[in-house]
Amino acid sequence: MNIPQSIHPFSQKTCLVVADHTHARLFLLEGQTAQEMVSISSEYPPKDNMERTSMVTPSGAHSAEESEQLEKLSWKSLAEKIEHQLMHDLAKHAYEEIIFFIPEDAVRQIQKTMNKDILANTSHLFPKILTNYPLPKILEHLSDELNKI
């Protein structure tokens, strides 16, 4: 896809990572072009499609706590898969720069646990969930965030 003229071209090959707690999309941005490279899923939460209600389990834990734990496990699994993909791509010199749009509660975790080579190539971490947006809308958000800097 061609990046709109209103967005400055990317002088370096850039990986744009757009993720929520269960799904990530990685895009390659170069010059005035953008393309989706890969989509990654965490495989969490379990695919039982059961609605979770507030209740106390036999162990004394509240189901809301279990849901929060599932979200954390889901993000951990997804972050590991993202890290693996980024390390693979960096080894091939697929891009020089990485930009993240991730959940606000994941920013600190990325900063603490992500591989140092990935962090060294990361120029921006934006706390925003855009996984369900089409690429043109994601690029608009990216442009807006970069213009704020």
Side-chain angles (χ1 to χ4, degrees):
M1 171 190 153
N2 287 330
I3 296 174
Q5 294 292 335
S6 60
I7 299 173
H8 294 289
F10 290 85
S11 58
Q12 299 183 74
K13 288 183 181 180
T14 301
C15 177
L16 176 61
V17 179
V18 179
D20 55 27
H21 291 97
T22 61
H23 184 248
R25 298 166 64 196
L26 280 64
F27 300 92
L28 177 63
L29 310 176
E30 183 178 14
Q32 285 295 133
T33 62
Q35 67 181 31
E36 188 162 355
M37 296 186 300
V38 65
S39 179
I40 303 170
S41 176
S42 72
E43 307 302 325
Y44 276 90
K47 307 284 190 262
D48 60 11
N49 290 327
M50 292 173 44
E51 286 192 34
R52 305 205 186 274
T53 58
S54 181
M55 62 180 224
V56 178
T57 64
S59 66
H62 290 273
S63 66
E65 292 172 6
E66 289 178 0
S67 294
E68 289 173 16
Q69 186 64 21
L70 278 176
E71 189 173 89
K72 287 178 185 177
L73 288 171
S74 178
W75 170 253
K76 183 178 180 194
S77 171
L78 182 61
E80 288 170 357
K81 290 178 180 186
I82 292 169
E83 181 177 50
H84 179 76
Q85 181 68 47
L86 293 176
M87 289 303 298
H88 179 267
D89 292 347
L90 285 173
K92 295 188 322 182
H93 304 287
Y95 35 78
E96 296 86 39
E97 181 180 4
I98 303 168
I99 298 172
F100 285 90
F101 276 108
I102 56 177
E104 186 171 355
D105 60 328
V107 172
R108 281 183 61 108
Q109 188 177 10
I110 287 282
Q111 293 168 328
K112 286 182 176 181
T113 63
M114 194 62 66
N115 179 282
K116 63 180 171 89
D117 293 331
I118 293 171
L119 292 176
N121 286 283
T122 299
S123 61
H124 303 288
L125 281 163
F126 297 115
K128 195 178 277 192
I129 298 175
L130 302 174
T131 48
N132 292 327
Y133 287 84
L135 181 54
K137 194 70 173 169
I138 293 170
L139 293 172
E140 284 179 32
H141 281 277
L142 176 58
S143 179
D144 291 345
E145 292 296 335
L146 293 175
N147 287 332
K148 290 179 187 177
I149 299 172

